Structures are given as structure tokens and as C-alpha cells.
Amino acid sequence: MMKIEKPPAPLIVPSPDDSRLTRLVTGTDQTGANVDIKVPMERPLTLYLNAQEIVTMMTIGDHPEYLALGYLLNQNMLKYDDVVTEVEYDDDLQVVVVRTGHHTNFEHKLKKRTQTSGCAQGTAFGDLLEAVESVELPQAELRTSWLYRMTHTINTMPSLYLEAGAIHGCVLCREGEPLCYTEDVGRHNAVDKIAGWMYRHGVDPADKILYTTGRLTSEMVIKTVRMGIPILVSRSGFTAWGVDLARQVGLTLVGRTRGKRFIALSGEQRIVYDQNLAYVEDESARHQRKGEGGDD
């Protein structure tokens, strides 16, 4: 993939005011009073690769083309040097079709898929572990000044999570600046959208940082490595297998990034401690998000 110095258009940011992504629901609170709240939408999206049905995903419904491409890339059904001739989305049928210049058949592979720890319907295939074992990640660096600027910017940006909750976000960053910010009911969907966006626009992963609001699980590590991104950051915690895989492939894994705090459990050699902590603000309660009370 070619290297770019500036993020390509269109730059993706959350759309908390998009009426298609939430619905107003009336309920009662702890005092018995009526309340109206926004809740995220959850729609089925069926993905076809050429003539073969691959999966039906539950998603908020934005950026279906990027989601489809990213899913296929991260499941090793589509290679980065494959030629995609068309991505066709039908909103009425809730179907997205990815067409390639070569024949594909994943009937045998589809029988081997297993449920992962990702929320909603995240799946991983057995051969993905073998696919990431041979990956050599770039020798990038993570300056703590970038880390603190990045987390502060993300936490204070308008988002669907702050508007309606019950959602995860993933952000692709370069030197602490967000380039692509996606949200969905499952963290796996959010990161797949970023993978599809990177593929469509030829974004070089070598100097990028991936941020997620969710847990640092084996699934998130595998997807990050598949995308060629050397640094994965979360405001939430870790799973043991996620840490083991990250150490195996040399991925920098940083979790529990809240205010001044963070913990790195893999790839610590990439971290450059250039930020004076006296000048870092604690996280505002207004912008506390998933994982604040635990490792969700």
C-alpha cells in the first residue's frame, strides 16, 4: 500500500445527530417518572462475496461498504493485493455484495468459524492464527505526548456513545491525531470499518495507532495485526490470550488509558516517555466511557 502524508477524503467521524442511527424510546426512571432516551439502532446486514453468502452482521447501519471490505480482509477472505471490481449496497434488502476479479469459494472455511469473545456476532476462523504468526510489524514509536493528546481528543469529541451509549468506538490515529473514527454495536464491526476505509484509500498502516473503547482481546489483537498496525491502545483492560498473542507478534499493547494512567503489557520498546505528567489533566467525569468501572 502506498504511503500518504494526509488522511484521504472522506474523513470519518461519529455522527451522533444522524437520526438513522438511533431511535427515541420512552420508559420510566427510578422515581417512576417518564423519560425519553435515545438508543442505538441494530440492523442486519448480509454480506456476499461474489455469489456466496458469507455472514449476516448486526450493525448500526452506517458505512456498510467499509464494513464489508474490512470484514473480508480481517477474516483473510480478501487479500490486500486482490482486485475488488465493485462493492454494491442495497439499503432495502440490507445486503452488501463485494465482487472481485477472481473466483472465490469459502464453503469449507465457513464451516470452521468459531464464536469469539467480541460482543454481538464477532467470529474468527481457525487459520487466522497461522496468518498472523508470519506477520512482521513495523518498527514504529509511541510517544506518550501523542498518547495523552490522542485520548483527550477522542474522549472530548462528539460521539454516538455520549449521545446514546451501548456502543463501541475505534479510532485510527497518526501521532496522536484521529484520522478515522467509527462506532458500532460491536467493537469488531467498528475496527472492520476502519480496515475497509484503509483498504479503499490506500492508507499505510506503518505509522498508525489503533484505539478502541473495548477490551484488548485475542480478536482485537488478530485484527490489528492483520491490518499491519503496530500499536493498539484501549481505555479498557486485557485478556490473557490477547496479551500472549501480542507478545508473540511484537504488537505494542497499551490498556487502561484513563487520564494520566496507562499500562503496557507488550511491545514496550516502542514507547518514548516524552510527556511531563504534571501537565496532563485527569479525565473529566463528563467523558468517562466504557471500561471506567471495569474491563468491559
Side-chain angles (χ1 to χ4, degrees):
M1 291 183 290
M2 65 179 182
K3 186 173 182 178
I4 57 173
E5 296 303 326
K6 295 182 180 180
L11 180 67
I12 296 180
V13 294
S15 304
D17 297 325
D18 189 338
S19 60
R20 297 171 300 174
L21 304 183
T22 60
R23 188 176 73 189
L24 195 65
V25 177
T26 300
T28 56
D29 66 11
Q30 67 280 357
T31 67
N34 290 336
V35 292
D36 294 327
I37 66 168
K38 287 184 177 180
V39 296
M41 296 296 292
E42 200 173 6
R43 301 181 177 92
L45 177 67
T46 301
L47 168 61
Y48 283 81
L49 177 57
N50 295 313
Q52 184 175 24
E53 181 178 340
I54 300 299
V55 69
T56 296
M57 301 173 280
M58 299 307 297
T59 172
I60 59 175
D62 65 342
H63 309 299
E65 296 89 349
Y66 292 143
L67 175 57
L69 288 170
Y71 179 91
L72 294 173
L73 288 163
N74 283 335
Q75 296 293 347
N76 204 25
M77 292 181 168
L78 189 66
K79 306 295 192 298
Y80 279 93
D81 57 355
D82 285 343
V83 176
V84 173
T85 58
E86 184 180 20
V87 181
E88 183 181 359
Y89 171 63
D90 189 308
D91 186 54
D92 292 331
L93 297 177
Q94 296 179 313
V95 167
V96 59
V97 182
V98 176
R99 305 187 191 280
T100 63
H102 63 284
H103 175 72
T104 56
N105 186 350
F106 291 101
E107 182 178 355
H108 177 68
K109 187 173 184 178
L110 288 169
K111 293 178 181 178
K112 295 168 57 179
R113 65 185 176 187
T114 57
Q115 191 74 16
T116 70
S117 57
C119 51
Q121 293 185 0
T123 57
F125 295 93
D127 63 349
L128 283 181
L129 291 178
E130 296 179 7
V132 301
E133 286 177 352
S134 60
V135 173
E136 292 187 12
L137 293 173
Q139 296 299 315
E141 69 176 15
L142 174 61
R143 294 184 175 271
T144 55
S145 58
W146 301 346
L147 179 64
Y148 290 124
R149 182 168 76 246
M150 177 183 74
T151 55
H152 176 76
T153 300
I154 293 169
N155 286 342
T156 54
M157 287 177 68
S159 69
L160 198 59
Y161 176 80
L162 291 177
E163 184 74 16
I167 206 162
H168 280 287
C170 288
V171 192
L172 184 72
C173 303
R174 180 177 181 270
E175 295 185 0
E177 298 299 328
L179 304 179
C180 179
Y181 186 164
T182 63
E183 294 181 296
D184 213 303
V185 288
R187 66 181 70 87
H188 52 277
N189 285 348
V191 72
D192 284 348
K193 290 176 187 176
I194 289 179
W197 181 83
M198 293 175 67
Y199 174 80
R200 265 306 199 204
H201 298 287
V203 178
D204 182 11
D207 59 348
K208 302 302 186 293
I209 304 165
L210 183 63
Y211 175 93
T212 176
T213 58
R215 298 183 301 268
L216 296 171
T217 63
S218 57
E219 181 183 29
M220 285 302 299
V221 169
I222 290 172
K223 286 179 181 288
T224 304
V225 174
R226 283 282 303 156
M227 295 161 67
I229 297 173
I231 301 165
L232 176 59
V233 177
S234 175
R235 66 171 293 100
S236 189
F238 313 81
T239 68
W241 196 14
V243 173
D244 289 345
L245 286 174
R247 289 177 173 177
Q248 180 180 339
V249 299
L251 175 72
T252 296
L253 199 64
V254 181
R256 299 181 181 176
T257 54
R258 304 166 194 162
K260 299 182 180 184
R261 297 176 294 148
F262 70 82
I263 298 175
L265 292 184
S266 175
E268 297 91 337
Q269 73 278 2
R270 289 193 180 93
I271 301 176
V272 178
Y273 294 86
D274 67 332
Q275 177 65 58
N276 186 336
L277 292 180
Y279 296 97
V280 179
E281 296 181 4
D282 287 325
E283 186 174 80
S284 167
R286 160 80 173 88
H287 298 105
Q288 291 176 355
R289 303 187 176 202
K290 276 190 176 293
E292 184 59 23
D295 286 344
D296 186 18

